Amino acid sequence: MATTALGETLAETLSDAYVNSGAIEQNRALLRAADEGVAQALAAMRPALKWSGGINRNYGVSGVPDVAIERTSTLTSSIELSVQLVLYAGGQLRLGVDLAKESVLATRATLLSAEQTLLLNATFSFLAIREATESLNLRQNNVRVIRQEVRAARDRFEVGEVTRTDVALAEARLAAAVAALAAAEGALITAGEQFHRFVGRDPGQLVQPTRLPKIPGSVAEAKSQAVRRHPEIISAQHQVAASELRILIAKGAMKPTVSVTGSYGLTESFNNRSFNQGGSVSLGASGPIYQGGELSSLVRQAMANRDASRAQLHVVYLTIEQNVGQAYSDLRVAQANKTSFQEQVRAARVAFQGVREEAALGARTTLDVLDAEQELLDARASLISAEISEFQAAYSVLSAIGLMTPEALQLAVPQFDPSQYYNMVRNAPVSQSKQGKELDRVLRALGKD
């Protein structure tokens, strides 16, 4: 864990979360699987060459019963090479490559979305630790103050300045403060477990961020950026494009398929030491005539799925815009609350100091002091929550726009190129080729062979 001399910053936490994330690694693996889909679609357009061979022994008896019986046994071996190439399939093969590419682009956007979700969760976990720590410090200080009030009440009771009721009030408030302290300790432990989940380790001494992230100045500008760059919208757009291609593929299945097949083989008989060798080339065509309505149903199904993906894109647009507006609203509310609670803390502190001095002079009761101290405590707790809520809302704005990324946050993490693996496999290299051997070497280096 890399930390500064003063403690662990939010940027350091996010960097560790990004590097340690199993969710990001999972989505990178899914992206590699989608990349392989392009290679497989391209391979379907190439000739398929295969071999077959075998050894065959036939044996038996023949003849006339009670006259002559002849036992027969033959042993032959054969080997054959065959190649097949689809020349025309209604455009399904080329469309299959385009469909696989759309899947790759959609999966890349899904990876970006997973990165955003992780970094936002890690940010919230960091801020939750900060809030729980500040709340715990506040509760600890509250217990110390009330214990002083309890001692003061007991001393004043000894000299007859207050009654037993005042002492009991102070003791009751102390018991409540101790219970609140225990709850604050539990909240910090819970926040630590959440931090460990998203960051992959226990928190260090976290440093409160001093500046909000840079965000667009208006909601309209933020929404405009969000609908252009948010990964969920990009993914939905590619899913619409893929659904359009599936319609064309379904229609292509109604068209004929033309293919050429060639074979060459050798058959040898061990009995008479004879052999036959030769080959053949054939051009074939086939096509559907009647499939019970299945092909038409597949086209209609693809159209329905296309309509659903278009509707989903519209829903995603509206959801992203709503998220942007909600995040800005939360940010403004938090900022307004922070200003109000800062003033409340200032006034409550003055009131508490005044009430305590007046109580020392006998002008105020113990209950007055405890109430004033509670109001100051509540104001400080509210201010802590408002300050944390301000940062949460600001980073929620970034996430809603699509800027909660390592590049936008300038995190010190290894750069990931989503096109690197795609460029290595898009031409469907075989393992025996130079490119295939280079790919195997890379996979071994990544520990994914």
Side-chain angles (χ1 to χ4, degrees), residues 167-426:
V167 176
L169 286 172
E171 292 173 343
R173 193 63 62 90
L174 176 60
V178 171
L181 174 60
E185 292 172 343
L188 180 59
I189 294 174
T190 300
E193 294 296 334
Q194 184 185 46
F195 185 97
H196 191 282
R197 172 190 172 190
F198 292 115
V199 183
R201 58 168 174 78
D202 293 332
Q205 187 66 34
L206 307 187
V207 178
Q208 175 70 20
T210 57
R211 293 185 301 175
L212 295 175
K214 186 177 180 180
I215 59 177
S218 67
V219 177
E221 182 184 355
K223 288 183 177 181
S224 177
Q225 290 188 29
V227 297
R228 291 197 312 269
R229 65 178 302 151
H230 198 282
E232 290 185 9
I233 290 181
I234 295 174
S235 177
Q237 289 171 337
H238 288 298
Q239 289 170 6
V240 171
S243 66
E244 298 281 2
L245 291 171
R246 291 189 181 95
I247 294 176
L248 298 178
I249 292 174
K251 291 180 177 179
M254 297 180 173
K255 299 177 181 179
T257 299
V258 180
S259 61
V260 61
T261 303
S263 63
Y264 187 86
L266 170 65
T267 301
E268 182 177 3
S269 174
F270 293 98
N271 293 73
N272 53 19
R273 297 185 179 276
S274 62
F275 69 92
N276 293 312
Q277 66 180 17
S280 66
V281 177
S282 62
L283 179 66
S286 63
I289 296 177
Y290 176 70
Q291 300 290 333
E294 178 187 10
L295 298 182
S296 298
S297 176
L298 290 173
V299 172
R300 295 193 301 271
Q301 183 183 52
M303 289 180 175
N305 288 331
R306 184 269 317 272
D307 295 341
S309 62
R310 287 177 176 176
Q312 177 62 24
L313 175 59
H314 181 65
V315 171
V316 172
Y317 268 110
L318 295 178
T319 301
I320 294 302
E321 288 185 336
Q322 178 192 2
N323 291 342
V324 172
Q326 183 66 49
Y328 268 91
S329 176
D330 293 342
L331 177 60
R332 290 167 181 166
V333 170
Q335 290 173 336
N337 286 341
K338 185 177 78 169
T339 301
S340 298
F341 290 134
Q342 286 173 339
E343 178 61 23
Q344 184 179 357
V345 167
R346 184 199 64 79
R349 182 183 296 111
V350 172
F352 173 63
Q353 293 172 349
V355 169
R356 188 163 55 178
E357 291 177 0
E358 292 174 0
L361 299 174
R364 292 281 185 171
T365 66
T366 300
L367 181 60
D368 292 332
V369 175
L370 294 174
D371 288 341
E373 195 277 335
Q374 186 64 44
E375 289 183 4
L376 177 58
L377 173 68
D378 293 341
R380 285 174 172 172
S382 297
L383 178 59
I384 291 173
S385 296
E387 290 173 342
I388 295 300
S389 296
E390 181 183 23
F391 278 94
Q392 289 176 336
Y395 280 101
S396 294
V397 170
L398 283 186
S399 178
I401 296 174
L403 289 174
M404 199 70 183
T405 62
E407 294 76 18
L409 297 173
Q410 299 180 345
L411 301 182
V413 296
Q415 296 296 316
F416 175 75
D417 182 5
S419 64
Q420 181 182 17
Y421 188 84
Y422 173 83
N423 292 333
M424 298 177 68
V425 303
R426 63 179 178 177

